[in-house]
Amino acid sequence: MRILGIETSCDDTAAAIYDSEKGLIVHRLSSQIDLHRQYGGVVPELAARDHICTLMPLVDNVLHSPENGGEKMDAIAYTAGPGLSGALLVGASIGKSLAHAWGIPAVAVHHMEGHLLAPMLEETPPPFPFIALLVSGGHTLLVDVEDEGCYQILGQSLDDAAGEAFDKTAKLLNLGYPGGPAISKVAQGGDANRFHFPRPMVNRPGLDFSFSGLKTHVRTTTQKIREENQLDDQTVADIALAFELAVVDTLGIKCGRALKQTGRKRLIIAGGVGANQRLRDHLTKVTADLGAQVFYPRSEFCTDNGAMIAYAGYVRSKMIPDSNTSNPIDSEQASFDVKPRWSLENI
Ligand code: KG4
Ligand code: ZN
């Protein structure tokens, strides 16, 4: 089965083709970072308009790529949510229209299931069951993954997502957008002994997260130093490092707790913040100390991409009874509904 995956939930337009026998065939991405940078964050209306201009040429590009060799698609997977509604609608309408025209099924994919399954695209995929730490710009989730499609949320952020905290802290320090990579880069030159920021909610039982207090702590510290005219490059690096260490340590404590609580022996990290090298190194140590193993996708598949949507679409299409997939031109297919808010437990 060959499946075209389309991702337009936020600020990346991406398309990819996955083949159930040959694996990932081709993937392409067009980033909107330059478009949103001047505003210091994603402007939803601009994101949607850019997806409209970019998606069809990108789809055309993967379909006519030498890697695809002119093969026809058996299904189209598109991100149906969660995400920005205008942005989602672009992928949903193009995905469903193409599927309708070609007489093949359109498969609605949950963006976070895409992230969760992204490590399956690697050479050594994690066997089920495992614990998944999903850390993106919109979500921080700890999920017990029994098998494909069997997900139980163990903990989540009660306020800001981890990526959001990175982005807001970077803005505060004038490090630009997107904040995660900017903070990590600057933090490399930081002195770990200068500041120590709180590890939120680690002394309370449970697996939920909260990052807004940490963000406020960074803001108060930064404002005080700024008022004293002492916010030089070294101080910014020291604050960035203290922030990164606080987030990484907090995520590590909760992942360790989730592994102990469930008895699982494998952890996967996915989502944009999963590209953070300090987080990867720390979780490798945390899991090794517990006699467990860690898995993560290559960096480009931690952040948003079409490959994970194509793969999740393949997994979903295996679960849909044949009668549904063989008749794509039904009323459900003709409507372009998306789910900007959508729990991983209600797919
Ligand atoms: O998964 P993703 O690409 O999009 C969403 O689904 O939200 O995640 C984007 C988030 C942004 O908040 C970005 O700052 C963060 O991931 N991010 C990072 C790194 N690369 C991206 N955070 C920390 N370190 C990184 N290297
Ligand atoms: Zn994402």
Side-chain angles (χ1 to χ4, degrees):
M1 175 180 199
R2 207 161 256 228
I3 186 155
L4 169 69
I6 291 174
E7 158 62 32
T8 63
S9 68
C10 190
D11 59 346
D12 288 307
T13 318
I17 295 172
Y18 180 82
D19 185 290
S20 54
E21 261 141 51
K22 297 183 178 152
L24 184 63
I25 303 296
V26 57
H27 64 99
R28 303 266 191 270
L29 181 137
S30 170
S31 164
Q32 298 180 356
I33 284 179
D34 290 339
L35 178 69
H36 300 291
R37 183 172 280 130
Q38 56 183 310
Y39 304 101
V42 180
V43 182
E45 182 61 25
L46 292 183
R49 288 187 205 185
D50 198 71
H51 287 311
I52 292 174
C53 301
T54 313
L55 183 57
M56 266 319 290
L58 204 68
V59 165
D60 207 44
N61 186 301
V62 294
L63 290 173
H64 294 104
S65 63
E67 296 94 323
N68 188 45
E71 290 275 330
K72 290 209 161 58
M73 296 300 116
D74 299 302
I76 298 181
Y78 63 93
T79 305
L84 304 171
S85 52
L88 290 167
L89 271 170
V90 178
S93 48
I94 290 183
K96 282 190 165 191
S97 303
L98 283 176
H100 185 105
W102 294 341
I104 58 174
V107 185
V109 168
H110 191 293
H111 181 79
M112 297 313 289
E113 184 176 41
H115 277 305
L116 190 154
L117 295 171
M120 298 302 174
L121 293 162
E122 299 307 322
E123 215 160 285
T124 321
F128 294 99
F130 52 74
I131 296 294
L133 172 70
L134 305 181
V135 268
S136 70
H139 295 83
T140 304
L141 294 170
L142 260 174
V143 188
D144 186 27
V145 181
E146 178 81 45
D147 202 347
E148 285 176 347
C150 297
Y151 313 132
Q152 191 200 344
I153 295 176
L154 302 173
Q156 57 194 309
S157 180
L158 305 178
D159 39 58
D160 292 355
E164 194 179 353
F166 267 97
D167 293 336
K168 288 178 176 171
T169 301
K171 206 168 181 177
L172 196 75
L173 297 173
N174 290 328
L175 292 176
Y177 157 89
I183 295 240
S184 297
K185 194 163 168 234
V186 168
Q188 281 171 17
D191 173 0
N193 297 317
R194 177 131 176 238
F195 299 101
H196 183 86
F197 292 154
R199 276 61 175 151
M201 288 182 70
V202 294
N203 295 325
R204 279 196 237 165
L207 296 168
D208 285 334
F209 304 90
S210 163
F211 290 109
S212 77
L214 172 61
K215 181 191 65 192
T216 308
H217 194 92
V218 179
R219 184 188 300 125
T220 318
T221 307
T222 309
Q223 264 166 4
K224 195 162 165 277
I225 299 173
R226 197 172 262 140
E227 277 158 21
E228 293 160 358
N229 262 335
Q230 302 288 322
L231 197 64
D232 53 20
D233 288 353
Q234 185 57 51
T235 306
V236 168
D238 297 343
I239 294 175
L241 178 59
F243 167 80
E244 190 176 49
L245 287 172
V247 174
V248 164
D249 202 20
T250 304
L251 293 174
I253 291 168
K254 294 291 165 91
C255 286
R257 202 177 280 176
L259 289 169
K260 279 188 218 151
Q261 195 172 299
T262 57
R264 301 285 190 220
K265 287 289 170 207
R266 285 175 288 271
L267 173 75
I268 70 118
I269 324 164
V273 184
N276 185 285
Q277 194 56 46
R278 206 178 293 274
L279 178 65
R280 290 174 175 225
D281 293 345
H282 184 63
L283 290 179
T284 302
K285 190 176 172 307
V286 167
T287 45
D289 288 349
L290 292 170
Q293 263 181 300
V294 70
F295 297 81
Y296 37 77
R298 68 197 87 161
S299 287
E300 61 183 322
F301 291 168
C302 271
T303 45
D304 291 348
N305 64 87
M308 68 182 194
I309 302 303
Y311 183 77
Y314 162 63
V315 168
R316 280 287 139 192
S317 66
K318 286 193 292 179
M319 295 177 193
I320 304 171
D322 280 353
S323 54
N324 284 355
T325 54
S326 60
N327 179 23
I329 308 166
D330 58 13
S331 56
E332 153 69 8
Q333 184 116 355
S335 70
F336 295 138
D337 53 328
V338 290
K339 295 179 183 169
R341 290 177 154 272
W342 188 9
S343 168
L344 193 58
E345 287 180 328
N346 299 330
I347 304 181

